[in-house]
Amino acid sequence: MVNSTKIVEILNNVTDKINDKKLYLTELDAAIGDGDHGLNMSKGFSAVSEKIKCDTDKDIGNLLKKVGMTLVSTVGGASGPLYGTAFMKASIYAKGKEEISIEDFIEMMNIAIEGIKMRGKAKKGEKTMLDSLIPAYEEGKKAIEDGKSPKEVLEVMKNAAYEGVEYTKTIIATKGRASYLGERSLGHQDAGATSSAVILSAIYDSL
Ligand code: ADP
Ligand code: MG
């Protein structure tokens, strides 16, 4: 089980890892978008870490709601409202909970993904963050059903997310700025799918 103190620690690790990958994410976005994804994510998660620095609220729902609202209000690009929606949807599930299990986490992923799909009107296979998040969710759910430990489940999720990132190189973007390039988006990996994998990898490392 994970409490709000641990979640603050995990979120700070996410911020550190996103900051480490800032240039990389920006370069990926520059190839088929406008080159601001690393900057956007770094700005958003740095604001999140600042916001939750002195947070003493034990309710994980309240904490995640703050995260979502901070991302929506600080990130200019398309990714801000999408990641923001993901955290806000997950916060509804976590409302009133002072601890969450790996089963809770996978359910929150499911709800977050549904939120992203609705907000961005996208589905799997359109070269977006969903192409790493959906396989991570599906493989994580299977791993739980197979009786794997939380750490093993998160490892499976992280690996599935990075495989999803590789998959984005093989498909044409039909959503977001990269869709303006059509076939020229082939061969390039999606920046948002990559940041999602970075986030899952930071969660895995924190446990
Ligand atoms: P912008 O495209 O406004 O510059 P960012 O560069 O921060 O915003 O984010 C781009 C990423 O957002 C893309 O790499 C993609 O993964 C994701 N994205 C864009 N549009 C959508 C959408 N409709 N649904 C899901 N993800 C999307
Ligand atoms: Mg961009």
Side-chain angles (χ1 to χ4, degrees):
M1 295 296 257
V2 163
N3 63 17
S4 62
T5 312
K6 183 69 188 177
I7 291 184
V8 169
E9 186 194 314
I10 294 172
L11 286 164
N12 286 332
N13 282 341
V14 169
T15 303
D16 287 346
K17 206 145 197 172
I18 287 289
N19 284 335
D20 286 348
K21 303 279 181 194
K22 182 171 154 181
L23 261 178
Y24 175 56
L25 293 172
T26 284
E27 280 166 11
L28 292 173
D29 189 35
I32 49 173
D34 58 353
D36 63 354
H37 189 60
L39 227 69
N40 287 341
M41 295 298 286
S42 168
K43 191 177 164 209
F45 277 95
S46 297
V48 164
S49 280
E50 188 58 35
K51 176 93 184 168
I52 62 178
K53 205 166 56 184
C54 307
D55 207 289
T56 52
D57 198 331
K58 288 191 167 19
D59 186 325
I60 294 171
N62 290 343
L63 176 65
L64 295 179
K65 190 173 170 194
K66 276 177 216 156
V67 173
M69 284 168 63
T70 304
L71 290 176
V72 170
S73 63
T74 56
V75 180
S79 57
L82 293 167
Y83 276 121
T85 300
F87 279 95
M88 286 199 279
K89 289 285 178 188
S91 83
I92 298 169
Y93 176 92
K95 179 112 195 87
K97 290 192 197 301
E98 293 191 358
E99 282 189 324
I100 54 166
S101 64
I102 191 74
E103 288 83 3
D104 290 325
F105 177 68
I106 205 80
E107 201 39 52
M108 283 155 67
M109 271 287 285
N110 185 23
I111 294 166
I113 287 167
E114 288 310 312
I116 293 173
K117 279 184 181 166
M118 222 167 68
R119 177 95 205 199
K121 299 186 173 53
K123 55 184 192 305
K124 201 169 155 181
E126 296 197 279
K127 206 179 179 96
T128 71
M129 55 178 73
L130 289 169
D131 293 312
S132 56
L133 291 173
I134 293 174
Y137 162 71
E138 288 173 349
E139 293 304 313
K141 194 165 170 66
K142 264 188 239 157
I144 290 176
E145 284 160 10
D146 290 346
K148 297 237 159 73
S149 73
K151 181 90 186 180
E152 287 170 331
V153 171
L154 287 168
E155 186 174 23
V156 163
M157 291 176 78
K158 175 191 78 162
N159 292 339
Y162 278 111
E163 277 168 34
V165 169
E166 288 305 308
Y167 164 66
T168 63
K169 292 180 184 170
T170 70
I171 55 177
I172 294 170
T174 49
K175 284 287 179 316
R177 286 180 198 278
S179 66
Y180 307 150
L181 292 183
E183 286 201 358
R184 278 186 293 144
S185 67
L186 268 178
H188 296 280
Q189 85 191 52
D190 178 61
T194 310
S195 62
S196 289
V198 169
I199 292 171
L200 285 168
S201 149
I203 297 174
Y204 166 74
D205 288 342
S206 313
L207 230 77

